Amino acid sequence: MVKVCVSNEIEQVCPGFVGAAVEAHVENSSYCQSLWDEIHALGEEYRATLNTESLKQMSGIAATRRVYKACGKDPSRYRPSSEALIRRMLQGKDLYQIDTLVDLINLASIRFGYSIGGFDADKFHGDTLTLGVGQKDEPYEGIGRGMINIEGLPVYRDADGGVGTPTSDHERTKIEIGTIHLMVLVNGYDGNEEQVLDTARFIQQLLRKYCKSDGGSISVYR
């Protein structure tokens, strides 16, 4: 098991933070039609009930935006991934199709509003992840985004540096088609432990349905 810790930096700006880690052995695939049927159905529901302003009131999104501001980051320039995904849906654009593991994590993020990090756990350096705040000029290569400025962003670090922020995870630990050891981190900046756990359990369900997994284990950290 990979241990996850929360730094004093995060406790100061978000004393109620609660996270859930799902760690599981999985079998990835390039595409899953039934999973995408679920994604499209949720998109239709959201286009009927949300707009680009009201989505900001979703508990997980609103809380993540507050933490960005408290850390000195503009949440409209560096959007939390959950907000960016839902905005894309509401604009009638297709979500990027990556692979089954990434796609199902995106579905969970969209459904519950939390920014969720997904990692190939075999690529971590060391056995501990610590959630802190990005520093000035800290190097960070976002997946498909090149080098990005993570100063003021919440960031998970392993022994060699940053691996995940609510805006983008890092190239070094990204999920690939051959990933078999998955770590998923649900970030509850709203402090809603029940909903964070519901999100983690939903991810387990998706892993059982689409990734030939027993769902793995859930651990809560704060």
Side-chain angles (χ1 to χ4, degrees):
M1 292 288 293
V2 178
K3 182 180 179 182
V4 187
C5 304
V6 179
S7 71
N8 290 332
E9 292 175 304
I10 294 296
E11 291 178 357
Q12 289 173 4
V13 296
C14 188
F17 175 86
V18 58
V22 179
E23 190 168 0
H25 292 286
V26 296
E27 183 176 314
N28 202 2
S29 60
S30 58
Y31 180 79
C32 178
Q33 182 61 57
S34 51
L35 171 61
W36 274 92
D37 290 343
E38 289 195 48
I39 293 171
H40 292 317
L42 186 57
E44 288 296 321
E45 177 185 332
Y46 278 1
R47 282 187 287 273
T49 58
L50 290 176
N51 59 48
T52 54
E53 286 303 312
S54 64
L55 75 89
K56 296 177 185 177
Q57 304 308 311
M58 293 178 70
S59 177
I61 292 173
T64 306
R65 290 176 63 90
R66 286 195 299 271
V67 169
Y68 272 35
K69 291 179 181 177
C71 293
K73 209 68 169 178
D74 180 356
S76 295
R77 183 177 179 189
Y78 295 85
R79 295 189 193 280
S81 58
S82 52
E83 180 184 349
L85 288 166
I86 298 172
R87 283 177 65 89
R88 191 170 179 85
M89 278 185 157
L90 296 181
Q91 292 165 355
K93 299 176 182 176
D94 290 333
L95 298 187
Y96 297 109
Q97 191 274 314
I98 309 299
D99 57 49
T100 299
L101 285 174
V102 173
D103 298 342
L104 72 81
I105 291 168
N106 285 343
L107 172 57
S109 182
I110 293 161
R111 176 167 170 178
F112 289 91
Y114 292 121
S115 289
I116 301 174
F119 310 93
D120 186 324
D122 289 335
K123 297 179 180 178
F124 290 145
H125 293 165
D127 60 1
T128 303
L129 298 177
T130 303
L131 178 59
V133 178
Q135 302 301 307
K136 182 177 175 60
D137 298 325
E138 182 172 357
Y140 190 92
E141 185 179 2
I143 297 174
R145 299 167 67 109
M147 301 304 292
I148 64 174
N149 173 16
I150 66 165
E151 181 182 4
L153 284 180
V155 57
Y156 287 96
R157 299 183 181 95
D158 67 4
D160 275 3
V163 298
T165 75
T167 291
S168 175
D169 292 330
H170 197 286
E171 281 280 354
R172 174 167 62 87
T173 50
K174 73 179 179 181
I175 293 167
E176 297 181 291
I177 199 66
T179 294
I180 59 172
H181 183 190
L182 178 71
M183 170 69 87
V184 181
L185 302 177
V186 182
N187 295 284
Y189 292 100
D190 61 355
N192 189 335
E193 183 172 345
E194 182 178 353
Q195 184 160 277
V196 167
L197 283 171
D198 284 345
T199 308
R201 295 186 189 108
F202 180 65
I203 292 167
Q204 286 187 309
Q205 293 172 14
L206 295 176
L207 292 175
R208 294 186 187 106
K209 287 170 69 174
Y210 301 125
C211 296
K212 298 182 180 179
S213 174
D214 66 2
S217 61
I218 296 174
S219 58
V220 174
Y221 56 95
R222 52 170 59 84

